[in-house]
């Protein structure tokens, strides 16, 4: 019998242990529980090292305690101004271990967050109070590359995904209006570099960098670095690789050429 290895991630210990116990009663399911995001990441890494990878991750949508983890793919801003939740964990795990199928467990239906979860790489969104048989159907379904959503959420999720696609297309168009040098500056901004650091990295004067940054904000139609970075993420612009010097136009130290 092929056994399904499941990891339940929920910071409500009683719920996590109860769900794990219920799933463990199934003859084809091996299940473990983790009480936080960091604990889940350690469990996943340990399983890979021991050659017994997990197949499915069940993640609490409202999971806390994940400082520093942000979606690794361009998704709508989740947790940017509030508590970090389980959706950024979805994106991080999907990038690190793409074979894992992830199902988000939620207290309530939320089309916007469900759409964000799908964009981050989740294969399903189910209510925490759903029946065990329903959850098992979802677990087995996502392993067949199916996507599972409550019927009541379908219209709202499709609307959110369509809007996100429209926003991404518009963001990509705005980024394409930048010059190669301005795109380099934008990538540095995404990496969190300030004006002085950008100047040192690109061998430009701070004054030249300030001009480039102002041009970037103007062309993107935003009024702050934070807004520019958010738009860049939606357009799929990644941060500058801080381990390597950027290449591009030939420049002179001191920023005489840009």
């Amino acid at each position: 019998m092929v056994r399904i290895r499941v990891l339940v991630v929920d910071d409500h210990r009683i719920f996590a242990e109860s769900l794990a116990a219920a799933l463990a009663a199934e003859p084809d399911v091996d299940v473990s529980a983790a009480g936080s995001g960091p604990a889940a990441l350690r469990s996943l890494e340990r399983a890979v090292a021991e050659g017994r990878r997990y197949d499915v991750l069940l993640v609490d949508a409202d999971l806390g305690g994940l400082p520093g983890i942000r979606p690794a793919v361009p998704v709508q801003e989740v947790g940017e101004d509030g508590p970090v939740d389980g959706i950024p964990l979805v994106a991080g795990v999907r990038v690190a271990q793409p074979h894992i199928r992830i199902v988000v467990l939620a207290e309530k239906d939320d089309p916007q967050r469900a759409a964000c979860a799908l964009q981050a790489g989740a294969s399903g969104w189910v209510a925490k109070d759903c029946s065990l048989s329903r959850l098992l159907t979802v677990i087995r379904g996502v392993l067949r590359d199916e996507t599972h959503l409550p019927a009541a959420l379908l219209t709202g999720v499709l609307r959110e995904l369509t809007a996100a696609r429209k926003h991404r297309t518009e963001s990509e168009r705005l980024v394409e209006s930048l010059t190669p040098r301005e795109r380099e500056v934008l990538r540095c901004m995404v990496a969190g570099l300030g004006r002085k650091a950008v100047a040192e990295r690109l061998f430009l004067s701070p004054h030249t960098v300030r001009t480039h940054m102002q041009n970037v904000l103007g062309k993107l139609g935003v009024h702050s670095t934070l807004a520019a970075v958010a738009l860049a993420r939606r357009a799929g612009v990644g941060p500058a690789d801080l381990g390597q010097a950027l290449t591009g136009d030939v420049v002179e130290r001191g920023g005489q050429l840009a």
Side-chain angles (χ1 to χ4, degrees), residues 41 58 129 147 188 218 249:
L41 295 174
L58 302 180
D129 60 358
T147 299
C188 289
D249 300 337

Side-chain angles (χ1 to χ4, degrees), residues 16-81:
E17 292 181 351
S18 298
L19 179 57
L23 291 172
E26 296 296 311
D28 63 339
V29 177
D30 284 331
V31 61
S32 300
S36 69
L41 295 174
R42 289 193 296 270
S43 294
L44 292 170
E45 292 171 358
R46 185 166 56 250
V48 169
E50 295 173 354
R52 51 182 188 87
R53 303 185 307 180
Y54 286 99
D55 302 302
V56 178
L57 204 64
L58 302 180
V59 180
D60 178 14
D62 299 311
L63 185 70
L66 289 170
I69 295 181
R70 285 289 183 268
V73 294
V75 300
Q76 295 180 26
E77 298 302 308
V78 180
E80 202 67 52
D81 297 315

Side-chain angles (χ1 to χ4, degrees), residues 180-204 209 213 216 225 229 232 237-242 244-247:
R181 173 62 77 208
E182 289 166 351
R183 283 196 289 272
E184 287 182 343
V185 170
L186 179 59
R187 290 182 61 219
C188 289
M189 293 163 66
V190 173
L193 299 182
R195 186 191 309 166
K196 182 178 180 181
V198 175
E200 293 175 351
R201 180 173 177 76
L202 299 182
F203 306 119
L204 301 173
V209 170
M213 286 183 166
V216 167
T225 296
V229 169
V237 176
D241 184 353
L242 301 184
Q244 298 178 359
L246 289 177
T247 60

